[in-house]
Amino acid sequence: LAQVYVSHQTSFGRAASRRTSGRNSHRRSALAMELATSADVKAQFVVVSCYTRFDNLAHGPRGKQAARSLYTYRLDPRDGQLVLESVTKEPVMNPAFSRFHPEKNLLYTCTESVAEPGEIVTWSVCPSTGQLSKLSSQSAGGSSTCYLTLDRERENMLVVNYWDATIGVFGLDREGGQLTEARSFYDPNEGRAMRARHDQHVNHSENDAGAQAERQADPHSHAVVLDPFFGRIAFVPDLGMDVIRQFRYDPEAGRMEAMGAVKSGPDGRRALGPRYIEFHPSLPVCYVVNELSSEVSVFEFDQRAAQDIVEGGDAVPTLRLLQTIRTIPDAYPGDLNTCGRIAVHCSGNFVLVSNRGHNSIAVLRVHMGLPIPGLLSVVGVYHTRGATPRHFQFDTLGQWLIAANQDSDRLVVFRFNLATGRLELTGNEYSVPSPNFVCCMRPREVSAPAATPEAKDIAPLGAPLAQGPFVGGP
């Protein structure tokens, strides 16, 4: 069905080999269920953000315009049911990305608009009810803000503005965790005006040749991710230029220094459209979803080259392309689909990608065996029971998957089979207007002391950071 390029070729329809023994998989499933049913498991909340205005977006939603922007649900870990706990009253326009601060019980959201500057909004999270209370708002320094990353020490936030492609570094208040001043900005356009106009542009939901050409007339940064080994190499997928930009990140100075770029897919290819990048939890491998070509590219991460850059060396590539694999059936026209979310399951055994247009989630198995660990094969493609799955998220134990079907105003909960990777219907479906992002979080109790990043999360340089269950990841 799909083809794997470059150094490894497989058929989309070939059954995935089982690198992990069935016995270990069953143990993991049993452990997850034991944790989920334990009486002392903290409350798990699911925050769903919604589009409240359509006229100022680069794309064209077809669902219902939301009157309120954030819905908070409580997840029952036994059966995956969601119970609506609260809905925000504050008028925040188009929150479209969320990031949870696990020590401060804070949720950061950013607003999406090609016409107005983006805002980064900080909310406090009540650990018992999940209620969100707005604390502050700050300009993101660009438009159509689309991605937020907390650095390793949680002293800075890295912010991406899609429309004008700028990447900003903002300080974080150590005591309260709220944003302080913008410390620096990187502009791949170097001050040049964008060719596309906010009041006259192609609908970014389209994917024909004309739409692709306009979308790639300018740089469009779409995410920023720090490497998990040093936390000092930042990677930024540029959807407009078909590259993954590489930066040396200095947290003390709050600056990013350009260190070259690599193509997001095979040489000679165009209209790839890299959207997101995710690292494997234990392997020196990362996965890039190419939105326009409906493909995932697998890259090897060169730790030695990265260390040279961290220590002040010259710009050298740290990513090497290993494989590219399609996320939709070969017979399905690529111009009818764009990819959305990519996620690596916390077990490290699977990579998942949402298909907007095909209305599905592709599940890819990660092969751990030599000579090239980290390569992918397709387990299956599963319909999301709705239209345009812009985003999906696992619960914090990785056993429930919540899909946000933007254009059919529908949340759908699936059970994720930890042994096979299959998505199994639960029957749990919920009506939400124009859902665009799902954030799962476990707030800490107020009486519990906050774990310091130095004690909990800082690994020695060159060692991978702990990649535990998701805590409000992208």
Side-chain angles (χ1 to χ4, degrees):
L1 221 87
Q3 187 144 25
V4 178
Y5 302 96
V6 188
S7 62
H8 184 70
Q9 292 195 354
T10 62
S11 167
F12 188 104
R14 185 179 301 172
S17 62
R18 302 299 190 256
R19 296 291 184 185
T20 305
S21 71
R23 180 173 58 184
N24 289 340
S25 297
H26 287 306
R27 285 176 178 173
R28 283 194 300 271
S29 298
L31 176 60
M33 186 57 65
E34 181 181 344
L35 290 171
T37 56
S38 174
D40 60 353
V41 167
K42 291 184 291 184
Q44 181 172 177
F45 296 105
V46 177
V47 178
V48 179
S49 55
C50 306
Y51 285 124
T52 61
R53 278 183 61 186
F54 293 171
D55 64 307
N56 59 359
L57 297 173
H59 52 98
R62 299 187 299 273
K64 179 182 178 183
Q65 192 167 275
R68 299 192 177 185
S69 58
L70 295 166
Y71 290 66
T72 301
Y73 296 84
R74 186 186 298 269
L75 173 70
D76 188 330
R78 297 167 298 183
D79 58 10
Q81 286 195 66
L82 299 177
V83 175
L84 184 61
E85 293 282 346
S86 68
V87 182
T88 54
K89 298 179 181 179
E90 293 86 348
V92 173
M93 176 200 64
N94 290 348
F97 188 97
S98 300
R99 178 71 68 183
F100 179 61
H101 193 308
E103 275 83 48
K104 303 293 186 182
N105 281 359
L106 296 177
L107 184 72
Y108 308 99
T109 63
C110 57
T111 63
E112 181 181 345
S113 168
V114 298
E116 298 105 343
E119 294 286 329
I120 304 168
V121 182
T122 304
W123 309 80
S124 66
V125 182
C126 176
S128 57
T129 67
Q131 182 175 356
L132 304 179
S133 299
K134 185 178 177 181
L135 297 177
S136 62
S137 180
Q138 180 158 327
S139 173
S143 52
S144 200
T145 311
C146 65
Y147 207 95
L148 309 173
T149 289
L150 299 177
D151 69 6
R152 194 173 188 175
E153 295 81 8
R154 299 190 180 112
E155 293 181 352
N156 297 298
M157 176 183 286
L158 285 64
V159 177
V160 174
N161 297 302
Y162 167 79
W163 188 249
D164 52 15
T166 56
I167 306 113
V169 179
F170 290 77
L172 291 175
D173 176 66
R174 272 191 176 272
E175 291 296 322
Q178 297 187 56
L179 270 71
T180 59
E181 76 283 351
R183 305 184 67 188
S184 67
F185 276 94
Y186 175 83
D187 179 7
N189 264 324
E190 298 180 338
R192 293 186 297 269
M194 303 284 287
R195 299 181 190 177
R197 292 170 43 184
H198 71 81
D199 58 348
Q200 185 178 345
H201 58 82
V202 69
N203 185 340
H204 286 206
S205 296
E206 305 297 329
N207 197 30
D208 56 25
Q212 291 175 353
E214 182 175 316
R215 292 189 69 183
Q216 297 199 301
D218 300 293
H220 285 297
S221 305
H222 215 301
V224 57
V225 171
L226 294 168
D227 79 274
F229 294 87
F230 305 95
R232 297 294 184 269
I233 308 295
F235 296 99
V236 176
D238 187 329
L239 186 146
M241 299 291 103
D242 280 346
V243 298
I244 307 298
R245 299 186 188 274
Q246 178 179 277
F247 298 84
R248 176 163 49 215
Y249 169 61
D250 183 343
E252 293 185 3
R255 299 188 65 84
M256 293 169 55
E257 180 183 358
M259 287 280 136
V262 299
K263 193 173 181 64
S264 69
D267 289 336
R269 295 280 306 282
R270 299 178 62 186
L272 300 170
R275 180 179 176 90
Y276 291 137
I277 178 172
E278 290 288 322
F279 274 83
H280 190 274
S282 59
L283 299 174
V285 171
C286 64
Y287 304 94
V288 173
V289 59
N290 287 302
E291 174 180 332
L292 303 182
S293 64
S294 298
E295 294 171 325
V296 173
S297 289
V298 183
F299 288 89
E300 179 184 33
F301 177 64
D302 188 333
Q303 297 177 64
R304 182 169 298 177
Q307 184 163 1
D308 288 344
I309 290 176
V310 170
E311 294 174 352
D314 296 334
V316 293
T318 61
L319 299 181
R320 181 174 71 90
L321 182 65
L322 299 176
Q323 178 192 23
T324 299
I325 187 169
R326 193 168 163 91
T327 67
I328 54 176
D330 279 346
Y332 192 81
D335 62 353
L336 297 182
N337 187 73
T338 59
C339 287
R341 160 92 154 118
I342 187 170
V344 183
H345 189 264
C346 55
S347 68
N349 292 328
F350 301 97
V351 173
L352 293 86
V353 178
S354 65
N355 293 307
R356 301 174 296 177
H358 192 252
N359 297 330
S360 62
I361 291 177
V363 181
L364 311 172
R365 179 176 290 275
V366 178
H367 296 274
M368 302 293 188
L370 297 174
I372 308 178
L375 296 180
L376 303 174
S377 64
V378 174
V379 172
V381 179
Y382 303 91
H383 198 281
T384 58
R385 296 304 191 268
T388 316
R390 183 177 186 84
H391 199 258
F392 65 86
Q393 184 64 278
F394 285 102
D395 76 305
T396 58
L397 293 177
Q399 65 175 359
W400 306 106
L401 182 146
I402 303 140
N405 293 298
Q406 170 192 297
D407 289 341
S408 56
D409 306 322
R410 206 74 177 161
L411 283 183
V412 180
V413 182
F414 295 86
R415 177 182 292 103
F416 184 72
N417 189 308
L418 299 176
T420 66
R422 289 183 57 85
L423 292 178
E424 302 165 356
L425 283 173
T426 62
N428 300 331
E429 300 186 15
Y430 307 90
S431 178
V432 184
S434 296
N436 59 44
F437 196 93
V438 180
C439 178
C440 294
M441 58 187 183
R442 288 186 185 276
R444 66 177 182 86
E445 295 298 328
V446 176
S447 59
T452 62
E454 290 77 14
K456 181 180 179 183
D457 293 313
I458 304 302
L461 287 182
L465 289 173
Q467 299 283 318
F470 295 96
V471 284

